[in-house]
Amino acid sequence: MSLEQTLRDNPVIGTLFGEDDLDHFETQPTRFSFVANLPLARVRTIFERLSKVKTLPLLNIDSVPGLTANSDGLEYLQGIGVPGIVTTHTNAVSRAVDLGFLAVQKVFVTDRSNLRRAAATAKSSRAHFIQLMPWPVLPYLSPEFFHVLGPFIASGFVNTEDDITSALRLGAMAVSTSQTELWNFQKHE
């Protein structure tokens, strides 16, 4: 089964901010997870713990103080078992893909004036997936914009089951959320 189909079948990506919800997450993991706001010294320990549960954890490298997204930083992450990254930096995505990481390019759409830049970033990125933020902008975006994005994950302000179903209906293949009560969301066909 492809990664895209796995995400479509399991459309909620649990997002861990730091370690506070780690114990809860380990008991009911989502198929994929994003991990953010970890001190660099704790990344190895957290990813070792997550390797024992049924999730594919990706590290938001932009949120790790002291980590540089250059080749050395990425090789360090590879050496400690981090399987993938999330970042706003297109160059880091390219480096990560070259090293065999699963790479997610984070793209922010804050208003219509940055749609071209967001589309250009998505188009030039070699990412496996685009993480589009914040999800409430989706109803205001054109089908052409979504076509440029390709497979995308909606994120930011995903707070309810209605948010999830709306984002999926608008074309997202999955959503990411830190709302622990949504991690067990099941699609209704």
Side-chain angles (χ1 to χ4, degrees):
M1 179 182 298
S2 73
L3 286 173
E4 189 173 330
Q5 188 58 49
T6 300
L7 277 172
R8 287 194 191 282
D9 292 345
N10 303 273
V12 174
I13 298 169
T15 301
L16 298 169
F17 285 104
E19 299 180 55
D20 292 346
D21 291 320
L22 183 59
D23 291 336
H24 171 70
F25 184 78
E26 287 176 314
T27 64
Q28 297 177 338
T30 56
R31 179 64 183 91
F32 286 83
S33 56
F34 293 162
V35 182
N37 299 334
L38 292 178
L40 185 56
R42 296 288 298 149
V43 171
R44 176 192 302 261
T45 301
I46 299 307
F47 275 75
E48 284 174 354
R49 282 181 64 177
L50 289 174
S51 72
K52 296 177 178 134
V53 296
K54 290 185 177 189
T55 190
L56 180 63
L58 307 182
L59 181 64
N60 180 335
I61 61 173
D62 301 343
S63 70
V64 179
L67 178 64
T68 304
N70 60 18
S71 295
D72 289 339
L74 292 171
E75 287 174 13
Y76 168 75
L77 293 177
Q78 191 174 46
I80 64 170
V82 174
I85 64 158
V86 179
T87 184
T88 57
H89 302 286
T90 306
N91 289 337
V93 167
S94 292
R95 280 188 217 104
V97 169
D98 288 343
L99 288 170
F101 283 100
L102 178 61
V104 176
Q105 173 80 52
K106 188 183 288 199
V107 174
F108 289 91
V109 175
T110 55
D111 57 41
R112 292 185 194 279
S113 69
N114 78 340
L115 280 177
R116 270 196 209 140
R117 184 171 33 94
T121 297
K123 200 175 205 181
S124 68
S125 176
R126 294 176 42 217
H128 296 93
F129 304 108
I130 300 295
Q131 180 185 24
L132 182 61
M133 296 184 76
W135 101 261
V137 302
L138 267 61
Y140 304 100
L141 302 175
S142 70
E144 294 80 22
F145 180 77
F146 290 132
H147 179 73
V148 170
L149 284 185
F152 71 94
I153 298 160
S155 300
F157 300 101
V158 177
N159 295 314
T160 67
E161 287 192 9
D162 286 343
D163 293 345
I164 295 170
T165 56
S166 294
L168 296 174
R169 190 172 49 253
L170 289 166
M173 97 176 116
V175 301
S176 66
T177 183
S178 60
Q179 301 296 319
T180 59
E181 64 276 9
L182 298 177
W183 290 349
N184 289 322
F185 174 84
Q186 297 294 310
K187 278 181 16 177
H188 303 288
E189 300 297 330

